[in-house]
Amino acid sequence: MTTLRARMGALLLLLALAAPAFAEATARPVGVVELFTSQGCSSCPPADALLAELAGRDDVVALSYHVDYWDYLGWKDTLATPENTARQRAYGAALDRPVYTPQVVINGHRDAVGSNRKAILAALDRPESGALSVDIALSARNGSIFVDIGAAAGPAAAGLADAHVIVVYYKSSEVVSIESGENRGRSVDYRNVVTGFQTVGMWHGDSMRLELPKSEIVRKGGRCAVLVQAFDAEGRPGIILGAAHSGFDW
């Protein structure tokens, strides 16, 4: 009996070592909400609060991109980057819309005012065909993060193969005391603050696995989201076919 117990214990230990740590749930999110905001925009705090609420949902990938084009109003946004502004302008070109704050883009192909709760929730409840139809799972082991992307699910996703695989780095929270400009005197707790993003590969409609260095995610805020997003021939972003996020610091 002692020998059998010892063998069973050894077997369980081997299984535990073989399994990836921090395995993410494979449940597909209902939507990706990308908010473009600015600390210098007096209309943005209600949108920032709504984004924070959405960031608390497990079934939504909520990301906050701070832009820099309102810095001249008297307060330089401490979280803004030119890359965030460029992503919003690319969306503006793709959607044939002027850029503004607060603006949200939902699933890469529909925009709304960032504080318009009714419009945003309606878009999340009724995603268009092809949106988030591809499964993505994240897991970690040792010093690596593994991204497992499923095959195209249905003709809508298959027709948009050759999509970009984008890793979005973010930090879960950043409290900023704004000392001048339109929001002077406010202290805002920003959630899911994007610190950078990059294309790390291409998805051609078949299942695939990517390996990312965990240290890079830790260095850039501790959390990440992965988006599989279609782009047109001119490099403008389109519908997001799949998404996943860690929901915790790696």
Side-chain angles (χ1 to χ4, degrees):
M1 182 65 70
T2 302
T3 302
L4 178 59
R5 287 176 180 172
R7 289 177 178 174
M8 289 297 295
L11 178 59
L12 290 173
L13 178 60
L14 287 173
L15 290 173
L17 292 173
F22 304 115
E24 278 290 277
T26 57
R28 189 184 298 161
V30 298
V32 177
V33 177
E34 297 176 89
L35 170 67
F36 296 93
T37 186
S38 171
Q39 295 169 11
C41 162
S42 61
S43 300
C44 285
D48 298 320
L50 179 55
L51 191 284
E53 180 183 324
L54 293 173
R57 288 178 50 169
D58 291 335
D59 62 343
V60 174
V61 178
L63 300 167
S64 179
Y65 297 78
H66 285 247
V67 298
D68 59 6
Y69 50 78
W70 296 129
D71 287 357
Y72 76 93
L73 293 178
W75 175 256
K76 185 175 181 179
D77 192 308
T78 59
L79 302 173
T81 67
E83 292 77 16
N84 290 350
T85 301
R87 182 162 174 82
Q88 186 185 20
R89 294 195 187 283
Y91 270 133
L95 298 170
D96 194 22
R97 300 274 199 278
V99 299
Y100 59 91
T101 55
Q103 180 183 30
V104 297
V105 178
I106 302 149
N107 294 339
H109 65 115
R110 184 186 300 181
D111 78 317
V113 175
S115 56
N116 190 335
R117 173 189 295 271
K118 182 178 180 179
I120 294 170
L121 294 182
L124 291 174
D125 288 339
R126 296 190 301 272
E128 293 183 12
S129 177
L132 301 187
S133 59
V134 177
D135 289 321
I136 303 177
L138 305 179
S139 60
R141 186 172 181 184
N142 299 327
S144 297
I145 306 296
F146 296 96
V147 182
D148 289 290
I149 303 173
L160 292 168
D162 302 325
H164 292 201
V165 181
I166 302 171
V167 176
V168 183
Y169 306 98
Y170 66 95
K171 59 177 65 176
S172 61
S173 177
E174 178 91 359
V175 178
V176 177
S177 296
I178 302 171
E179 299 175 2
S180 60
E182 292 186 353
N183 288 317
R184 180 178 181 177
R186 284 181 177 267
S187 181
V188 183
D189 184 2
Y190 295 103
R191 297 299 178 92
N192 290 10
V193 178
V194 172
T195 60
F197 53 92
Q198 64 183 129
T199 297
V200 296
M202 294 289 293
W203 175 79
H204 299 293
D206 298 318
S207 60
M208 62 181 291
R209 165 173 274 204
L210 294 171
E211 184 176 0
L212 308 174
K214 181 178 177 181
S215 59
E216 186 73 357
I217 296 167
V218 172
R219 185 176 71 85
K220 293 185 177 180
R223 298 191 179 189
C224 73
V226 177
L227 312 177
V228 173
Q229 185 167 27
F231 280 73
D232 67 16
E234 297 180 14
R236 296 175 297 195
I239 190 171
I240 295 174
L241 301 170
H245 62 142
S246 60
F248 52 82
D249 291 336
W250 290 106

